[in-house]
Amino acid sequence: MQNHFSTVEEALTHLMNGGYIILADDESRENEGDLVALGQDITASTVYEMLNEANGLMCVPVSKKIADRLGFTPMVEHSTDPNQTPFTITTDGTYEATGVTTGVSAFDRAATIRQIAKSTATATDFNHPGHIQPLSAQERGLRDRNGHTEASIDLAYLAGKAPVTVIIEVLKEDGKMARRDSLFELAHRANVPFITINQIISYMDEKGIDYAAQLATVNA
């Protein structure tokens, strides 16, 4: 069974090929793992598989620029979340812009997420509330906040894709949060890369990347 972490390069390749990865945070923080996929070209089958494998809350991290442009405002004015998870108002794509109907199917969720990732999308393309839970990432990503939201957006920038991702916490079959051993088992069974947030930070340090959002300007 797999008992070692993948490399960031392996994770990026898998993401760019349309797959999802497992991403764990620090053992001294939440010590949890999320499945992560890129939002730009997400498919209904990937959404459905992530829901089935993880069973947690599916969220869609976006860059602050996208959140501002699409009118994804904070869910509450004064958050008391101990980890300051940046929840915004929930959303669905409009039927006119995306073909979304009820919003809850894997097909509707994927359509909404892809619309969020489009550079031409506008606030009028979305209804509120809905079945997609956006999260607004800090502008400097992991340099500002050490969380799955920022880590996944940094991965999107490193992959050269739109800063929109899909994340969902992994639960064990008994309903408890999956930790390292369980996450290694899932990585082996699903044949997907498994990395940590600290690996992403080290990777950017080694590449001399101040913060990953800079890459969007460099590659524009």
Side-chain angles (χ1 to χ4, degrees):
M1 183 186 76
Q2 178 180 341
N3 59 2
H4 63 278
F5 292 110
S6 307
T7 66
V8 172
E9 288 90 347
E10 289 169 335
L12 289 171
T13 297
H14 200 75
L15 289 169
M16 288 186 284
N17 287 334
Y20 62 83
I21 67 166
I22 302 172
L23 177 64
D25 66 354
D26 192 80
E27 289 182 288
S28 65
R29 191 174 182 268
E30 292 180 316
N31 190 23
E32 295 175 1
D34 285 21
L35 302 186
V36 177
L38 300 176
Q40 184 171 318
D41 300 308
I42 193 82
T43 64
S45 60
T46 298
V47 168
Y48 188 70
E49 184 174 347
M50 292 174 73
L51 289 166
N52 273 343
E53 289 286 5
N55 294 305
L57 176 64
M58 178 169 280
C59 296
V60 177
V62 303
S63 67
K64 184 178 184 301
K65 183 177 180 180
I66 289 177
D68 291 345
R69 174 165 55 84
L70 300 183
F72 294 167
T73 56
M75 181 181 286
V76 296
E77 185 175 356
H78 301 293
S79 173
T80 56
D81 181 342
N83 290 310
Q84 290 298 296
T85 307
F87 290 105
T88 75
I89 56 174
T90 57
T91 192
D92 286 331
T94 64
Y95 179 79
E96 293 75 14
T98 64
V100 166
T101 54
T102 65
V104 72
S105 72
F107 293 90
D108 280 358
R109 294 193 209 194
T112 296
I113 296 165
R114 290 194 301 269
Q115 189 68 21
I116 292 171
K118 288 182 180 178
S119 61
T120 55
T122 65
T124 57
D125 293 339
F126 302 93
N127 293 321
H128 308 283
H131 298 84
I132 292 298
Q133 176 60 75
L135 305 174
S136 181
Q138 293 291 313
E139 291 188 70
R140 288 167 47 89
L142 286 171
R143 303 304 188 185
D144 286 340
R145 180 176 179 271
N146 193 311
H148 283 94
T149 299
E150 286 71 24
S152 69
I153 292 299
D154 278 355
L155 285 172
Y157 280 124
L158 292 170
K161 299 295 185 178
V164 176
T165 57
V166 183
I167 65 175
I168 181 170
E169 303 102 328
V170 181
L171 306 185
K172 297 194 299 183
E173 289 184 0
D174 62 4
K176 296 179 181 178
M177 300 305 301
R179 309 300 181 188
R180 294 294 170 93
D181 288 346
S182 298
L183 295 171
F184 274 122
E185 291 176 6
L186 173 58
H188 176 72
R189 177 170 55 78
N191 192 28
V192 298
F194 178 18
I195 63 172
T196 69
I197 289 177
N198 283 340
Q199 281 182 269
I200 301 172
I201 295 172
S202 296
Y203 178 85
M204 291 193 293
D205 287 344
E206 292 167 5
K207 298 291 184 182
I209 299 170
D210 184 14
Y211 56 99
Q214 289 179 317
L215 298 175
T217 301
V218 172
N219 296 329

